[in-house]
Amino acid sequence: METVLIFVAVLAVIFFATGVKIVNQATVIIVERLGKYNGTLTSGINFMVPFFDKPKYIEWKYPTDRLPRQICVIDLRETVYDFPPQDVITKDNVNIKINALIYFQITEPLKVAYEVASLQTAIEKLTQTTLRNLIGELELDQTLISRETINAKLRAILDEASNKWGVKVNRVELQDITPPPAIREAMEKQMKAERERRAVILEAEGTKRAQILQAEGAKEAAINKAEGQKQAKILAAEGEAEAKVKVAQAEAEAVKIITDNLKEFANPANYLISIKYIEALQKMVDGKDNKLVYMPYEATGILGAVGAVKELVAANGKKN
């Protein structure tokens, strides 16, 4: 009897040990009963029927593994998969190597277990074919400068295709795009020539700008100088005109005074004409520096003017 009890106890321990399954957070286990899907074990303590329930194993390859493993625990966290470099050909027939990083997350473990034989292999092959199609539509120069476009297109295609496998592709990144050595050497020469061309253009632009500024400065200086000369001439002309006006006004005042004082004694016009003749004669006889002085032909007019002055003075003396 004791032997039977011991046997039953051992069976109970084995049953309990094999039937209890602890699942970690963010992981699940697919359970099959007699080869058919029975349920999904989530995080926490779960119970399985020994000898009838078995976990479903899937193929999975970790970065440190050379060959894929058979695992039963499916990780629901975001996973990054680094693909080895792939040979692709551009539109202009250049063979380049590209390696990519795929960030994906399992959203439906049941589909991962039953809709695809090897999830990572399927994603890798799908990425390879999609990359060949995308790069085949672009030339080498476009490929090198269109990483963001390629990443977006590749992510959209992979996400749509892997949806039936229960996977969400969050991000795709192209790590390296490696052209052949001859192409790289040609590209380096082209970049060097482009930099030299830009340096020459910048130097020429600087020289051109300096010459333009110098010309503009000379132009503004000439304009300012001309404006200054113009203003000086205008002011001089205005001053001369104002002076002439003042002189004319003074002469007019003088004539008026003379006319008012002499109209009772003699003809003021004769007096003024005589004064002008005498002033002109004085300028003629005051010649210096061996200048030749000519007497006017109408000397009698001058003598007449002197006589008129004499008569005017005499008349004024009698009046007084």
Side-chain angles (χ1 to χ4, degrees):
M1 186 66 181
E2 293 180 356
T3 305
V4 174
L5 293 177
I6 294 174
F7 180 73
V8 171
V10 171
L11 288 179
V13 170
I14 295 175
F15 183 84
F16 183 80
T18 57
V20 175
K21 195 71 174 178
I22 299 176
V23 181
N24 295 329
Q25 184 69 31
T27 59
V28 295
I29 297 176
I30 304 297
V31 177
E32 294 179 338
R33 178 170 295 175
L34 300 177
K36 184 179 179 181
Y37 171 73
N38 183 57
T40 302
L41 304 183
T42 58
S43 59
I45 298 177
N46 298 271
F47 297 94
M48 299 172 55
V49 178
F51 309 111
F52 291 95
D53 294 344
K54 292 183 179 180
K56 169 68 175 178
Y57 285 85
I58 62 174
E59 184 179 288
W60 197 266
K61 182 179 180 182
Y62 291 94
T64 57
D65 296 339
R66 298 185 60 183
L67 297 175
R69 301 182 186 180
Q70 296 291 326
I71 62 171
C72 64
V73 179
I74 300 176
D75 196 337
L76 301 181
R77 296 174 297 176
E78 185 176 31
T79 304
V80 57
Y81 188 79
D82 187 4
F83 293 103
Q86 308 295 325
D87 291 327
V88 295
I89 300 176
T90 62
K91 186 177 181 180
D92 48 355
N93 296 324
V94 178
N95 190 358
I96 61 177
K97 288 183 177 294
I98 297 181
N99 63 324
L101 291 176
I102 308 296
Y103 296 84
F104 65 92
Q105 187 174 10
I106 296 175
T107 57
E108 298 182 56
L110 189 61
K111 291 184 178 180
V112 173
Y114 294 105
E115 294 292 336
V116 60
S118 176
L119 177 63
Q120 291 172 310
T121 302
I123 294 178
E124 179 179 351
K125 298 305 179 182
L126 179 61
T127 304
Q128 291 177 357
T129 55
T130 306
L131 265 179
R132 290 192 181 99
N133 293 333
L134 292 177
I135 300 301
E137 298 175 354
L138 301 174
E139 295 182 354
L140 178 61
D141 294 338
Q142 295 175 325
T143 303
L144 296 176
I145 63 176
S146 302
R147 291 197 180 196
E148 293 297 330
T149 303
I150 296 174
N151 291 341
K153 291 183 178 180
L154 186 59
R155 191 205 67 80
I157 295 173
L158 292 178
D159 186 45
E160 182 180 359
S162 61
N163 186 43
K164 62 176 295 185
W165 302 332
V167 174
K168 173 68 176 177
V169 177
N170 297 323
R171 191 164 63 256
V172 178
E173 296 290 342
L174 297 182
Q175 280 188 295
D176 296 316
I177 301 177
T178 308
I183 300 297
R184 291 202 302 269
E185 183 178 357
M187 291 173 61
E188 291 176 358
K189 291 181 179 179
Q190 182 180 1
M191 292 175 60
K192 181 179 179 181
E194 181 66 20
R195 286 193 294 266
E196 292 177 351
R197 184 183 70 85
R198 291 180 180 178
V200 172
I201 291 175
L202 291 176
E203 184 178 359
E205 288 289 340
T207 303
K208 175 184 175 182
R209 185 61 181 169
Q211 292 177 351
I212 290 174
L213 292 177
Q214 290 177 357
E216 290 179 352
K219 176 183 176 182
E220 292 180 1
I223 291 174
N224 292 334
K225 183 178 180 181
E227 286 289 339
Q229 293 176 352
K230 174 184 175 182
Q231 293 295 329
K233 289 181 179 180
I234 290 174
L235 293 176
E238 290 178 353
E240 185 177 356
E242 186 176 355
K244 289 182 178 181
V245 171
K246 295 293 184 181
V247 171
Q249 290 177 352
E251 290 181 352
E253 290 292 334
V255 170
K256 182 179 179 182
I257 294 172
I258 293 171
T259 302
D260 293 340
N261 292 331
L262 298 179
K263 62 183 178 180
E264 297 179 1
F265 304 102
N267 188 357
N270 291 334
Y271 173 78
L272 293 174
I273 293 173
S274 299
I275 293 301
K276 292 296 183 180
Y277 268 114
I278 293 172
E279 290 177 356
L281 180 60
Q282 184 179 1
K283 292 180 180 179
M284 293 172 62
V285 298
D286 287 341
K288 297 179 181 180
D289 300 330
N290 298 324
K291 291 183 179 179
L292 182 61
V293 179
Y294 291 94
M295 290 293 290
Y297 178 73
E298 293 291 338
T300 57
I302 298 175
L303 296 178
V306 174
V309 174
K310 180 180 179 182
E311 291 176 358
L312 182 60
V313 173
N316 190 17
K318 291 179 181 181
K319 177 70 174 175
N320 294 328

